[in-house]
């Protein structure tokens, strides 16, 4: 449930003391249910003020309590609408039980050691993992806590510490073994957190530069290592597409799959390859539809049902056009664009970025030129088996 971790991460990052019933209602059902059943959000005192929902002014008013016989009612005063009833439910408020959350995350790393606050309310040591004979502390750092990390270096030696941050796509913190976002450090499965040790392993390998080929986004830059030569490139659309192709060599990848990776709804890609372009709700809706169609397509192919297959392919094509409009950050989203045009622009972005890579890193550029087949569909088909850390 990636939305759950995103919501959790946002709540931690904002350091909000209180969550109103309105905010809780705005969450998707499964995220809300998980927050409450895991007891990460617990009831706190009721609200004394609410936003008026009778007009469009979004003004905040003090709640007045009215007693009529045995019944109690709540009202606020709206300049437009007069007295407005407030259902008692709207006055409920919630607070985040951070120590509960920290201990749940800690349990997701392993039973070995308990969580502890290193800097109250900002930095927690969640536990430790052993990778290649080295014991690494896993620390959770919220928001501004990152600035204070140096003050606890005696307790958390940087080269032996993995930093988990609540910010999305966090920059590497200098000197630390690895830095990753809470949303990629953990997964939630059947109500339990699971620490994603493989992601840490991948980052560490990059750090020690002992692996061969790397095509990996680190914040705003992509690290590209090939044949012993490493270069860094600023993020761009085509690079995101190329990275998606490298994940599945020899597979035919359609334009819609590339766009899905860019939009952050492709299950093989942890986050949108060019940052978070879609809001959570859009990502959920597109993601659901995309995954359903991909599953149906597999089934239709498996059953050799050509009529069904064609129908799904048409729907995927329509989704591709919608996605292209949704993720196009250069403002062409209002224009009508047909499927052919979308394919051309995807193909063009790939070509442009291979050219860009070739200028800085000729060996890699030539390899990509020779191995990437583009056109209606795409395929990364290297002559010799080439493994990538993506
Ligand atoms: Zn009002």
């Amino acid at each position: 449930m990636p939305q759950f971790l995103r919501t959790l991460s946002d709540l931690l990052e904002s350091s909000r003391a209180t969550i109103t019933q309105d905010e809780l209602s705005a969450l998707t059902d499964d995220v809300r249910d998980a927050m409450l059943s895991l007891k990460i959000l617990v009831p706190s005192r009721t609200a004394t003020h609410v936003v008026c929902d009778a007009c469009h002014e979004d003004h905040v008013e003090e709640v007045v309590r009215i007693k009529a016989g045995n019944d109690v009612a709540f009202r606020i005063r709206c300049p437009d609408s007069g007295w407005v009833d407030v259902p008692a439910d709207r006055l409920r408020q919630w607070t985040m039980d951070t120590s509960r959350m920290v201990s749940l995350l800690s349990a997701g790393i392993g039973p070995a050691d308990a969580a502890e606050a290193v800097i109250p309310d900002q930095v927690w040591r969640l536990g430790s993992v052993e990778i290649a004979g080295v014991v690494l502390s896993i620390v959770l750092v919220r928001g501004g806590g990152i600035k204070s990390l140096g003050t606890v270096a005696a307790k958390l030696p940087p080269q032996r510490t993995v930093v988990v941050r609540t910010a999305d796509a966090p920059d590497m913190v200098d000197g630390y073994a690895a830095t990753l976002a809470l949303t990629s450090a953990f997964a939630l499965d059947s109500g339990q957190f699971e620490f994603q040790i493989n992601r840490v392993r991948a980052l560490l390998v990059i750090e020690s530069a002992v692996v061969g080929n790397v095509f990996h986004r680190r914040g705003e830059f992509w690290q590209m290592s090939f044949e012993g030569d490493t270069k860094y490139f600023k993020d761009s659309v085509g690079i995101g597409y190329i990275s998606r192709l490298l994940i599945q060599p020899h597979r035919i990848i359609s334009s819609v799959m590339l766009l899905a990776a860019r939009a952050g709804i492709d299950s093989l890609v942890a986050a949108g390859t060019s940052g978070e372009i879609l809001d959570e709700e859009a990502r959920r809706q597109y993601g659901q539809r995309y995954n359903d169609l991909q599953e149906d397509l597999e089934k239709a192919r498996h059953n050799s049902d050509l009529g069904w297959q064609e129908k799904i392919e048409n729907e995927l094509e329509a989704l591709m056009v919608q996605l292209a409009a949704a993720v196009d950050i250069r403002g062409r989203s209002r224009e009508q664009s047909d499927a052919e045009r979308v394919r051309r622009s995807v193909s063009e972005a790939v070509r442009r970025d291979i050219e860009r890579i070739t200028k800085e890193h000729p060996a890699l550029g030539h390899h990509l030129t020779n191995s990437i087949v583009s056109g209606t569909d795409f395929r990364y088909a290297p002559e010799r088996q080439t493994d990538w850390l993506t």
Side-chain angles (χ1 to χ4, degrees):
M1 220 197 310
Q3 305 103 301
F4 176 81
L5 281 159
R6 192 167 302 281
T7 307
L8 189 65
S9 188
D10 291 347
L11 284 173
L12 270 171
E13 180 76 2
S14 71
S15 302
R16 293 269 311 280
T18 311
I19 290 105
T20 65
Q21 179 68 24
D22 289 352
E23 288 167 315
L24 189 74
S25 305
L27 301 176
T28 59
D29 291 353
D30 48 355
V31 170
R32 183 173 53 238
D33 292 350
M35 286 287 177
L36 298 178
S37 67
L38 289 171
K39 299 191 170 63
I40 289 175
L41 288 182
V42 292
S44 74
R45 59 184 178 73
T46 54
T48 54
H49 293 73
V50 292
V51 178
C52 175
D53 60 357
C55 66
H56 297 290
E57 301 298 322
D58 283 345
H59 56 99
V60 177
E61 296 297 333
E62 186 172 0
V63 178
V64 180
R65 182 189 155 101
I66 292 155
K67 235 182 144 182
N70 283 334
D71 292 333
V72 178
F74 301 94
R75 281 177 194 171
I76 53 168
R77 182 80 187 163
C78 172
D80 279 357
S81 315
W83 285 105
V84 178
D85 285 327
V86 179
D89 232 21
R90 270 195 76 202
L91 299 180
R92 296 167 79 185
Q93 292 191 119
W94 310 85
T95 184
M96 184 176 224
D97 185 342
T98 359
S99 56
R100 163 89 181 150
M101 193 219 49
V102 164
S103 68
L104 288 173
L105 289 174
S106 172
I109 295 175
D113 36 12
E116 73 174 304
V118 181
I119 299 177
D121 225 30
Q122 289 194 312
V123 178
W124 297 266
R125 186 179 179 281
L126 297 176
S128 61
V129 292
E130 189 181 319
I131 297 177
V134 179
V135 177
L136 298 159
S137 293
I138 313 296
V139 291
L140 175 69
V141 180
R142 138 153 111 184
I146 201 73
K147 295 191 194 81
S148 321
L149 211 49
T151 63
V152 288
K155 194 163 194 165
L156 299 168
Q159 66 278 17
R160 294 287 171 92
T161 302
V162 172
V163 180
V164 175
R165 297 188 62 184
T166 49
D168 268 346
D171 293 326
M172 299 295 293
V173 186
D174 276 348
Y176 284 81
T179 310
L180 62 173
L182 177 62
T183 48
S184 57
F186 287 89
L188 185 71
D189 188 32
S190 317
Q192 297 206 320
F193 289 106
E194 282 175 5
F195 186 62
Q196 306 293 294
I197 191 166
N198 283 334
R199 298 231 164 101
V200 175
R201 211 172 262 142
L203 287 169
L204 289 176
V205 174
I206 292 172
E207 214 55 63
S208 60
V210 291
V211 287
N213 304 322
V214 178
F215 202 103
H216 183 82
R217 184 159 76 110
R218 303 172 81 183
E220 291 193 4
F221 290 87
W222 288 78
Q223 177 184 343
M224 296 184 198
S225 305
F226 185 70
E227 292 185 350
D229 189 13
T230 294
K231 290 279 184 320
Y232 293 87
F233 291 85
K234 206 159 169 47
D235 182 35
S236 78
V237 178
I239 286 178
Y241 296 150
I242 296 167
S243 132
R244 176 63 184 81
L245 293 172
L246 298 184
I247 291 176
Q248 286 184 302
H250 301 288
R251 275 280 300 267
I252 291 174
I253 310 285
S254 58
S255 308
V256 71
M257 289 164 103
L258 297 182
L259 284 162
R262 174 157 154 72
I265 61 174
D266 180 329
S267 57
L268 291 177
V269 179
T273 52
S274 294
E276 301 312 333
I277 302 169
L278 299 181
D279 64 43
E280 191 181 312
E281 180 59 17
R283 201 163 43 225
R284 196 182 64 76
Q285 285 181 7
Y286 282 122
Q288 180 86 52
R289 178 141 179 74
Y290 172 75
N291 290 321
D292 288 352
L293 285 170
Q294 292 291 4
E295 263 175 40
D296 285 353
L297 188 60
E298 285 293 315
K299 278 186 216 149
R301 279 185 183 145
H302 186 75
N303 299 333
S304 308
D305 185 338
L306 292 181
W308 190 23
Q309 196 177 320
E310 193 182 325
K311 186 172 166 286
I312 298 162
E313 275 165 359
N314 285 338
E315 286 184 43
L316 272 170
E317 191 146 285
L319 177 66
M320 174 181 77
V321 174
Q322 284 175 19
L323 268 182
V327 300
D328 193 341
I329 46 176
R330 283 160 305 172
R332 288 193 289 121
S333 59
R334 300 276 169 249
E335 279 178 43
Q336 281 289 337
S337 57
D338 58 18
E340 206 33 60
R341 231 182 88 186
V342 172
R343 275 201 207 90
R344 264 207 307 275
S345 90
V346 169
S347 177
E348 180 57 21
V350 170
R351 193 194 58 74
R352 237 187 355 251
D353 276 330
I354 292 181
E355 231 175 73
R356 191 156 71 97
I357 293 166
T358 307
K359 277 186 196 138
E360 300 289 320
H361 197 320
L364 175 58
H366 293 137
H367 172 75
L368 295 175
T369 306
N370 295 333
S371 317
I372 289 179
V373 183
S374 64
T376 306
D377 292 318
F378 298 80
R379 194 153 51 101
Y380 168 63
E383 269 181 20
R384 280 178 296 131
Q385 192 194 331
T386 312
D387 293 324
W388 288 95
L389 191 64
T390 53

